[in-house]
């Protein structure tokens, strides 16, 4: 999952890699985000994990 291109100025960027199962478990808080391979700004991923679309 890539939120933005790393070459864009003034934008946040994170890339999280893992199996589909690892990604789902991390987003549902069932496994630590640290279990994923991360590149970029970790805070962006933390915001996505905390996001509640229906709220």
């Amino acid at each position: 999952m890539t939120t933005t291109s790393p070459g864009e100025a003034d934008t946040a960027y994170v890339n999280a890699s893992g199996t589909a199962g690892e990604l789902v478990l991390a987003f549902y808080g069932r496994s630590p985000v640290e279990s994923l391979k991360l590149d970029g700004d970790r805070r962006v991923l933390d915001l996505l994990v905390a996001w509640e679309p229906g709220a």
Side-chain angles (χ1 to χ4, degrees), residues 21-36 45 49:
E22 290 169 337
L23 291 166
V24 169
L25 290 173
F27 276 100
Y28 279 97
R30 301 291 185 163
S31 69
V33 173
E34 291 80 12
S35 67
L36 303 173
L45 188 62
V49 170

Side-chain angles (χ1 to χ4, degrees), residues 29-52:
R30 301 291 185 163
S31 69
V33 173
E34 291 80 12
S35 67
L36 303 173
K37 182 178 168 186
L38 300 176
D39 179 37
D41 189 350
R42 158 73 191 267
R43 296 174 293 174
V44 176
L45 188 62
D46 291 337
L47 289 172
L48 287 171
V49 170
W51 179 45
E52 295 184 33

